[in-house]
Structure formats: structure tokens, C-alpha cells
Amino acid sequence: MKHLFKATKLGWDEEKEGIWFDSDKYTEEAARTEFEEYEGTTQEGYPYTGYEYDGQRYHSIAYLGEFEDDEMPHNDDELFEILAKQKRNS
């Protein structure tokens, strides 16, 4: 199983990236601490808090949940489908 996060890269494109952590090695909280917070300032002078992981900086991160290896979503549609299936089975 894996903990899955969706991270939004810095920049105008707001490109999103899935980042996962093996559940055998990380708890949800331990995985969250892998994202280092930093303080930045926008071009307009507004302060913000960003996140850095593995040399990449992100505007925001969101925890999506824990997923079986063979049920990792690759996009939002798959995520919603898997979450609906999990809800029906619980």
C-alpha cells in the first residue's frame, strides 16, 4: 500500500504531480514531514508558505489517502472512481 499526495508545482501552469510513499516504511504523518515548509514572496510582494520535496518546490500539497499498489489513481477521474468503490465496499 502507498500514501498518495497531490502536489501543485510553482508557476503559472499549476502543474500537478502525484507523490507516493510506501506504507510499510511511512505512516501518513511521517510522509507529510517529508515535505519541508519554506516561506516565500510572490512577484507582487505577498508572502506565502510553500513545500519542497526532493529538490522540487510546490505551492500546495494535499493528502489523497492510502491505496493498494494495483489501485493507484493516475488522474482525478480514477481517484473519484476508486474512492466511490471504497465507500460502497465499506
Side-chain angles (χ1 to χ4, degrees):
M1 292 192 71
K2 294 182 173 50
H3 296 288
L4 181 61
F5 292 82
K6 181 191 279 188
T8 304
K9 291 183 177 182
L10 289 178
W12 294 104
D13 295 342
E14 293 191 8
E15 181 183 346
K16 297 188 180 7
E17 179 173 87
I19 301 171
W20 58 266
F21 297 90
D22 193 328
S23 297
D24 290 338
K25 297 179 182 175
Y26 293 89
T27 63
E28 176 187 342
E29 188 57 36
R32 283 182 188 277
T33 64
E34 291 294 310
F35 294 95
E36 251 183 72
E37 285 189 10
Y38 71 91
E39 301 298 319
T41 305
T42 66
Q43 291 177 343
E44 294 82 21
Y46 298 105
Y48 71 91
T49 300
Y51 304 90
E52 186 171 343
Y53 173 72
D54 199 28
Q56 179 68 51
R57 289 191 164 192
Y58 300 97
H59 177 268
S60 63
I61 58 169
Y63 181 69
L64 301 180
E66 189 174 22
F67 298 89
E68 294 289 343
D69 293 350
D70 62 346
E71 286 195 352
M72 290 285 287
H74 297 93
N75 56 49
D76 286 343
D77 289 339
E78 287 182 15
L79 172 65
F80 297 135
E81 185 178 314
I82 291 167
L83 293 176
K85 180 181 172 186
Q86 288 175 346
K87 189 173 183 172
R88 284 190 305 268
N89 292 337
S90 62

